[in-house]
Amino acid sequence: MKTKHFSEIQRFRQPFVWLLLGGIMAMLLWAIVQQLFLGKPFGTNPMPDAGLLVLTGLYGGFVFLFTRIRLETRIDADGVHYRMFPFNRDTKHVKWDELKKAFVREYSPISEYGGWGYRSGMRRKNGALNISGKTGLQLVFNDDTKLLLGTRRGKELEETVAQYFKTTNA
């Protein structure tokens, strides 16, 4: 049997996220045009021009950061390698012998983790790195802490994990 490796890079691609971010940016840019160039105050209690420019710049920086976020996952004979860039500069490495369980499962991003991104559970022993979807690789460490790594390619990930680790569903 040929040894399989798994590699995936995910980015935020959900249309509703980009519509929300883009809509807010469009409103801020329109506020700048209306207030600074057309000389009409934006809203009933307009922000000072400098404040409007600073807010738009900060928000633009946030949107730029959001475009850079990506979840990188690699599975091979050495274990599980992951990082959520730019929050993790270095790739984290989990060796197979550090794990009690490793399996692909369906999960609820909102009810289990409060959404997508760099998440931690209620007791801080249950974290997740996820970008989209509701399928992930559940890692249960020997000390019973858990980490879920989201994926868009659950079936392929399941096949790869199965060749390196005995899978068990909890």
Side-chain angles (χ1 to χ4, degrees):
M1 174 172 115
K2 184 179 177 190
T3 305
K4 289 181 87 169
H5 300 285
F6 177 86
S7 184
E8 180 179 34
I9 297 175
Q10 294 183 63
R11 296 180 185 276
F12 282 102
R13 300 266 190 252
Q14 298 91 330
F16 70 90
V17 170
W18 294 109
L19 282 172
L20 178 65
L21 292 174
I24 293 170
M25 182 56 89
M27 182 189 71
L28 288 169
L29 292 174
W30 175 245
I32 287 173
V33 168
Q34 186 172 336
Q35 194 163 306
L36 273 62
F37 297 107
L38 300 177
K40 298 178 188 174
F42 184 76
T44 56
N45 189 8
M47 181 180 281
D49 294 351
L52 187 57
L53 289 170
V54 168
L55 177 64
T56 304
L58 288 173
Y59 185 75
F62 170 75
V63 171
F64 176 76
L65 173 68
F66 212 78
T67 66
R68 310 306 306 155
I69 296 173
R70 66 182 182 267
L71 174 59
E72 302 169 359
T73 308
R74 192 175 83 245
I75 312 290
D76 59 26
D78 293 330
V80 179
H81 312 264
Y82 66 92
R83 93 174 166 157
M84 178 79 89
F85 183 82
F87 306 111
N88 301 118
R89 292 183 55 116
D90 298 323
T91 300
K92 308 286 185 193
H93 178 222
V94 178
K95 295 179 182 178
W96 293 116
D97 63 0
E98 296 175 41
L99 297 171
K100 194 183 285 188
K101 295 180 188 176
F103 57 94
V104 175
R105 73 175 181 95
E106 296 287 314
Y107 69 101
S108 173
I110 294 178
S111 67
E112 288 185 55
Y113 300 102
W116 293 268
Y118 204 123
R119 317 303 291 185
S120 63
M122 296 294 284
R123 296 187 187 112
R124 308 280 295 164
K125 291 187 82 171
N126 190 15
L129 302 176
N130 55 7
I131 297 288
S132 69
K134 56 183 180 158
T135 304
L137 174 61
Q138 181 69 67
L139 304 175
V140 181
F141 293 86
N142 292 329
D143 66 357
D144 288 325
T145 57
K146 297 176 183 176
L147 176 66
L148 184 119
L149 300 171
T151 184
R152 290 188 181 144
R153 298 174 15 221
K155 198 70 176 156
E156 184 183 343
L157 178 57
E158 192 169 40
E159 292 169 4
T160 305
V161 169
Q163 73 180 347
Y164 297 118
F165 194 88
K166 285 225 187 274
T167 58
T168 26
N169 287 324

